[in-house]
Amino acid sequence: MNSMLLQEVWDGLGQETKDWFRQNPGCRVLPRTLVNIVSDGYSGPVMVDQDGMMALSAADLTFLHGQKQSMARPGPAGQTPRERT
């Protein structure tokens, strides 16, 4: 049985949650609070351990690495996305 992938729910996450992922690139297991936020509204299976935490898959880690990289790319006039907002 496959579990939820972050890429499937990313667009529905709030900016604060996305920022948390970007600021915690070494995270390999999501705490229960984040599992609840990320899985809200997801209708498929969410695989968690006995403490309600979810291990991130290799696909999740690759996706998050790409998200972090996209935040670092310069935009118009050499501005990063944070400088543009």
Side-chain angles (χ1 to χ4, degrees):
M1 174 185 287
N2 292 334
S3 187
M4 171 188 67
L5 295 173
L6 288 178
Q7 186 172 2
E8 297 172 328
V9 298
W10 187 258
D11 290 339
L13 297 178
Q15 191 60 47
E16 185 176 323
T17 303
K18 290 178 181 180
D19 289 344
W20 186 93
F21 281 107
R22 291 182 183 118
Q23 294 166 3
N24 294 279
C27 180
R28 300 289 184 259
V29 178
L30 291 185
R32 179 177 33 213
T33 302
L34 273 176
V35 172
N36 291 337
I37 291 169
V38 170
S39 64
D40 186 39
Y42 181 73
S43 62
V46 178
M47 307 300 272
V48 296
D49 66 13
Q50 68 274 9
D51 296 318
M53 297 190 301
M54 181 179 90
L56 295 177
S57 68
D60 289 330
L61 296 173
T62 299
F63 174 75
L64 290 172
H65 179 74
Q67 291 300 309
K68 186 174 181 198
Q69 295 294 90
S70 70
M71 286 297 294
R73 288 189 196 126
Q79 295 175 330
T80 64
R82 290 193 186 269
E83 293 171 328
R84 285 180 264 170
T85 58

